[in-house]
Amino acid sequence: MGSVEDEASLVEEALLQDEESKRYTGDGSVDFKGRPVLKQNTGNWKACPFILGNECCERLAYYGIATNLVTYLTRKLHEGNVSAARNVTTWQGTCYLAPLIGAIIADSYWGRYWTIAAFSTIYFIGMCTLTLSASVPALKPAECLGSLCPPATPAQYAVFFFGLYLIALGTGGIKPCVSSFGADQFDDTDAQERIKKGSFFNWFYFSINIGALVSSTFIVWIQENAGWGLGFGIPALFMGLAIGSFFLGTPLYRFQKPGGSPITRMCQVVVASFRKRNLVVPEDSSLLYETPDKSSAIEGSRKLEHSDELRCLDRAAVVSDAERKSGYYSDKWRLCTVTQVEELKILIRMFPIWATGIVFAAVYAQMSTLFVEQGTMMQTRVGSFNIPPASLSSFDVISVIFWVPVYDRIIVPIARKFTGKERGFSELQRMGIGLFISVLCMSAAAIVEITRLQLAKELDLVDKPIAVPLNIFLQIPQYFLLGAAEVFTFVGQLEFFYDQSPDAMRSLCSALSLLTTSLGNYLSSFILTVVTYFTTQGGSPGWIPDNLNKGHLDYFFWLLAGLSLLNMLVYIVAAKRYKQKKAS
């Protein structure tokens, strides 16, 4: 009888422990003071308004500079079309390259919270510097006198680009961490919170575009009509608000501990596998080295299950006879855990998917460069109102704002019934749809340019650098298609690189997804340079001269459409071969 009572009490105690554990997060997150966190008091949607508010204000500040930057460079710093477009895409490329710095610092040492805090300060200083360069007379070039435009002095260039690249550095700490920090607020071991996390990425991108909408309409109008000093000053003010919003939510946040340098861990796997290149990898993966504990040896990470690909790297987890005899397993440059090996395998498996995002990013880069320059050569006056060409990007933003709730509230529930997937489509399916839409976007831009050039020829405007009387609103379809492509591809990338990344490498993998945008901008600059070189041979004006009426911008858009189609086909092959991460 006593044994039955003892057994019943043990069962009751186990149930109480299970109930107690359900009150806490199961993904290793802690509060601001490093203590385990109760689900009901922290994270989830209650913490997200502060993160979304921060992102909205920060993106308003960023796009307040980026959206109309090409106009400032051509009109105020008196640069040519190709030079201005190249400077913009190079700067934007740097903005999306710098996140590698912030990601490594966040994952290795500071954690996402303190990385965001530190780099936001650098960002704010850059915004203030840029505002001064456009406000103080000595720091900006003199106005044009007729057709004579005095160039900016080296000192004026230095101050302007110093502020601009401080912003790029600040972006480096914020961009890879904010989306991951927001997703950290949802427990990955809780099925209900996982569904909410998928929704978070949609609304995160929605908040980005609310900030972008204000920039591409109100801020652009201020810059064009009230002056560039005020036009840069307002975004600087919003950057200050972004910092305030972020700190306000501190008591509600869930924090993930940094797991040490991901670069070091990857190098250890390569070195250890090379040192053991003569050892045979056992067929039974349970013989490979892994810590006996329930938790991983890597701080802030769950264990990863062994996968059969890239077996050459498994040698790093093979226990040699010498190690077995000595019982010494602590030299990570000679012996790595299965989880550590799988981290590197995951990154290698992600590479083909990652690479296909570069061409899509090159298409996206046209919105702030050649789409704007195309718009300047069209009729921008509607009634008594003059529409700044850069403000047409607001239709890209409106498209995103339209598609995010439609996708989240209508498309996902319908798709879920057919696919059985928590989020309707897999991340890979979602990105593929976006790549297809990007082909349509560039085709639409090319058709508008063909129409514009035909009209210029009919009205004998080919040799005159003046706008063609073709309504600028004909650009709306290309912007709207680009916005739809973003909702599928960019948000799909956010989900994919967060969910598929190792737990202790999430900032790094978010930075890698942003790196596609950087490389896309550099690719756009490279294509511009190559196209300009080859099409201006023999005294020809080329495809993209300063007077676009003489050029063939449509050929450039068709070139990008062709590259996008080829890129989509490569992506389909890579997506079919991709194998999902398995966390134990």
Side-chain angles (χ1 to χ4, degrees):
M1 187 73 178
S3 63
V4 173
E5 288 177 357
D6 289 343
E7 195 173 313
S9 65
L10 284 170
V11 170
E12 188 178 340
E13 187 179 338
L15 287 170
L16 285 171
Q17 286 178 350
D18 186 50
E19 191 65 35
E20 182 71 13
S21 67
K22 286 180 180 177
R23 295 173 60 208
Y24 292 90
T25 56
D27 60 356
S29 54
V30 295
D31 66 9
F32 187 67
K33 295 183 179 178
R35 301 169 299 195
V37 288
L38 287 165
K39 287 185 180 181
Q40 63 180 19
N41 295 340
T42 60
N44 221 313
W45 281 113
K46 67 172 71 69
C48 289
F50 301 98
I51 297 168
L52 296 177
N54 165 270
E55 184 65 8
C56 181
C57 291
E58 185 273 323
R59 288 291 91 185
L60 187 151
Y62 174 81
Y63 287 114
I65 304 302
T67 303
N68 214 15
L69 182 58
V70 71
T71 307
Y72 186 83
L73 291 173
T74 52
R75 293 186 187 172
K76 296 298 176 182
L77 294 185
H78 312 140
E79 293 189 351
N81 281 341
V82 172
S83 175
R86 192 184 297 119
N87 271 328
V88 171
T89 52
T90 302
W91 173 73
Q92 288 180 332
T94 306
C95 285
Y96 287 91
L97 180 63
L100 285 173
I101 300 168
I104 291 169
I105 291 172
D107 280 342
S108 306
Y109 310 110
W110 295 355
R112 289 185 260 281
Y113 177 86
W114 287 112
T115 305
I116 294 168
F119 280 82
S120 292
T121 307
I122 295 170
Y123 196 128
F124 185 65
I125 293 169
M127 294 293 297
C128 293
T129 304
L130 209 62
T131 303
L132 288 173
S133 75
S135 306
V136 179
L139 297 179
K140 56 182 180 178
E143 296 292 332
C144 293
L145 295 171
S147 60
L148 197 66
C149 298
T153 65
Q156 290 167 342
Y157 263 119
V159 173
F160 178 80
F161 281 102
F162 175 71
L164 204 59
Y165 279 87
L166 270 184
I167 292 169
L169 179 60
T171 301
I174 297 171
K175 284 298 289 178
C177 297
V178 175
S179 62
S180 297
F181 188 66
D184 287 345
Q185 307 311 309
F186 301 91
D187 186 355
D188 214 27
T189 63
D190 185 311
Q192 288 185 328
E193 291 201 14
R194 273 202 309 272
I195 294 172
K196 291 176 183 176
K197 181 172 69 179
S199 188
F200 166 79
F201 285 115
N202 291 323
W203 294 105
F204 178 81
Y205 205 72
F206 182 87
S207 66
I208 287 174
N209 282 274
I210 290 292
L213 178 62
V214 175
S215 291
S216 60
T217 51
F218 175 66
I219 301 297
V220 167
W221 188 89
I222 290 288
Q223 290 168 348
E224 298 272 355
N225 296 278
W228 290 90
L230 185 61
F232 288 160
I234 293 172
L237 175 65
F238 273 92
M239 187 59 217
L241 291 175
I243 296 170
S245 172
F246 180 71
F247 283 124
L248 277 174
T250 301
L252 298 174
Y253 295 149
R254 296 174 185 173
F255 302 82
Q256 291 287 350
K257 295 177 181 176
S261 172
I263 305 297
T264 302
R265 290 200 303 276
M266 287 188 285
C267 290
Q268 286 169 341
V269 172
V270 173
V271 170
S273 60
F274 179 76
R275 281 176 165 174
K276 295 181 175 179
R277 62 192 178 278
N278 295 322
L279 296 184
V280 178
V281 178
E283 290 297 321
D284 184 358
S285 62
S286 65
L287 298 175
L288 297 173
Y289 178 66
E290 184 57 277
T291 56
D293 306 329
K294 186 179 178 182
S295 58
S296 167
I298 303 163
E299 182 102 47
S301 176
R302 291 167 295 171
K303 285 183 178 179
L304 293 169
E305 292 182 13
H306 176 263
S307 62
D308 292 329
E309 302 93 355
L310 301 164
R311 288 180 64 82
C312 59
L313 295 175
D314 286 339
R315 290 190 178 92
V318 174
V319 181
S320 67
D321 291 337
E323 286 162 341
R324 194 176 286 109
K325 286 176 184 176
S326 66
Y328 182 70
Y329 304 135
S330 299
D331 186 353
K332 292 180 181 178
W333 293 95
R334 290 185 176 276
L335 182 65
C336 304
T337 62
V338 168
T339 296
Q340 191 173 339
V341 173
E342 288 301 315
E343 282 188 332
L344 181 55
K345 284 187 183 182
I346 285 170
L347 290 186
I348 295 171
R349 286 203 300 267
M350 281 180 170
F351 180 79
I353 303 295
W354 170 84
T356 56
I358 296 171
V359 175
F360 179 82
V363 169
Y364 181 71
Q366 307 316 307
M367 183 176 67
S368 56
T369 54
L370 292 179
F371 281 13
V372 176
E373 291 180 5
Q374 182 187 42
T376 60
M377 299 302 286
M378 298 173 75
Q379 184 180 321
T380 58
R381 184 166 290 277
V382 177
S384 60
F385 192 73
N386 195 48
I387 300 169
S391 70
L392 261 287
S393 62
S394 60
F395 286 99
D396 163 79
V397 178
I398 290 167
S399 175
V400 171
I401 291 170
F402 168 78
W403 280 109
V404 164
V406 167
Y407 183 86
D408 194 67
R409 301 300 183 193
I410 299 174
I411 296 176
V412 168
I414 293 171
R416 193 181 289 143
K417 290 178 182 177
F418 291 97
T419 64
K421 292 180 168 60
E422 287 178 348
R423 300 176 189 176
F425 295 108
S426 70
E427 300 98 328
L428 293 172
Q429 289 169 335
R430 184 173 186 170
M431 287 188 280
I433 293 168
L435 293 180
F436 173 72
I437 297 172
S438 72
V439 177
L440 301 180
C441 167
M442 295 317 299
S443 301
I447 290 167
V448 169
E449 185 62 13
I450 289 170
T451 307
R452 196 190 70 78
L453 289 174
Q454 283 176 343
L455 189 58
K457 191 175 181 180
E458 288 169 11
L459 299 175
D460 197 26
L461 298 175
V462 173
D463 295 318
K464 299 172 185 175
I466 59 174
V468 171
L470 185 69
N471 198 305
I472 195 171
F473 285 143
L474 283 175
Q475 284 190 311
I476 290 175
Q478 67 204 53
Y479 281 105
F480 200 78
L481 284 168
L482 188 58
E486 284 178 66
V487 169
F488 284 91
T489 299
F490 279 154
V491 182
Q493 281 182 340
L494 283 174
E495 288 186 71
F496 177 78
F497 284 101
Y498 184 88
D499 284 346
Q500 292 301 308
S501 64
D503 294 348
M505 287 188 180
R506 280 177 164 159
S507 296
L508 178 63
C509 289
S510 292
L512 289 174
S513 74
L514 295 167
L515 185 60
T516 62
T517 307
S518 170
L519 295 177
N521 278 280
Y522 290 135
L523 176 62
S524 177
S525 293
F526 175 73
I527 295 171
L528 269 172
T529 303
V530 171
V531 164
T532 301
Y533 175 79
F534 283 108
T535 62
T536 54
Q537 298 292 313
S540 171
W543 288 3
I544 315 169
D546 288 343
N547 174 14
L548 290 179
N549 292 340
K550 271 187 173 182
H552 265 292
L553 187 57
D554 54 327
Y555 292 174
F556 186 80
F557 289 150
W558 283 126
L559 174 64
L560 286 181
L563 284 173
S564 297
L565 180 61
L566 180 63
N567 183 61
M568 184 185 73
L569 297 175
V570 172
Y571 173 83
I572 291 169
V573 174
K576 282 184 175 180
R577 293 182 176 181
Y578 182 78
K579 290 192 177 179
Q580 303 280 326
K581 174 186 86 171
K582 291 181 181 178
S584 60

